[in-house]
Amino acid sequence: MSDEYNMSDEYNLQRFVLAQDLVYEDAIARLRRGAMCTEHMELIFPRLMSGCDDGSIEPYAIASLDEANAYLSSPLLGGRYRECVGALQRHADLSARTVFGEVDARKLHASLTLFSAASDNEFLLETLFDVWFGGILDEATMNAIRQISG
């Protein structure tokens, strides 16, 4: 486990570290093979909180762009996210639905939209948007971001 979380953890990012430590190697191996386990989606590709205030319902949801930026800025979590996105780029000949299924492809789209909005020119994310989502951001996520930012 990383020492970076022994300092202030304003967003409780440690919850991701602890959960991912148990499944990350399996998840990245699956992604490299062009598949994904539904149970790992929330941990590996977090999305914006749906509006439910109870963190116990969505324990791995991201509450704000600042939290998403902190996640990406974490050497461990941001590094893992980028590694997973990089693994997906190897499967540009497949569709997101082929790799993830319909529901999880939508979750991936929402996650990529969130982290793209929270980052400064993440080329890796933008490339995956172009390959799998026609360069289009997830509209529901963008609307939610406008609401929490407005």
Side-chain angles (χ1 to χ4, degrees):
M1 192 170 350
S2 172
D3 287 337
E4 81 181 274
Y5 294 99
N6 290 340
M7 298 168 25
S8 173
D9 185 7
E10 177 181 354
Y11 300 107
N12 188 23
L13 296 177
Q14 182 67 19
R15 71 191 191 274
F16 290 102
V17 174
L18 294 172
Q20 285 181 7
D21 280 351
L22 301 173
V23 301
Y24 185 74
E25 291 306 318
D26 178 55
I28 191 68
R30 286 174 185 257
L31 290 173
R32 288 179 179 141
R33 291 191 308 266
M36 184 58 177
C37 182
T38 296
E39 293 79 29
H40 298 160
M41 280 302 293
E42 307 299 324
L43 310 173
I44 304 299
F45 296 106
R47 294 173 292 135
L48 194 62
M49 192 171 284
S50 68
C52 205
D53 288 335
D54 185 0
S56 65
I57 294 174
E58 297 178 307
Y60 303 108
I62 301 288
S64 67
L65 286 180
D66 287 340
E67 183 178 354
N69 186 281
Y71 185 103
L72 274 183
S73 296
S74 157
L76 180 64
L77 295 172
R80 285 177 173 174
Y81 195 85
R82 289 176 185 92
E83 183 178 25
C84 289
V85 170
L88 293 175
Q89 287 187 313
R90 299 177 191 164
H91 305 293
D93 56 326
L94 302 174
S95 71
R97 285 171 188 80
T98 300
V99 175
F100 289 92
E102 184 71 31
V103 172
D104 286 346
R106 286 194 306 262
K107 290 178 181 180
L108 173 68
H109 195 191
S111 179
L112 291 170
T113 299
L114 169 63
F115 286 106
S116 180
S119 68
D120 295 327
N121 300 319
E122 279 279 337
F123 179 74
L124 197 58
L125 302 181
E126 302 302 327
T127 302
L128 202 55
F129 273 119
D130 291 340
V131 170
W132 276 357
F133 301 106
I136 299 171
L137 298 173
D138 179 62
E139 187 176 333
T141 301
M142 289 307 298
N143 288 338
I145 288 170
R146 281 191 280 279
Q147 286 181 340
I148 63 172
S149 299

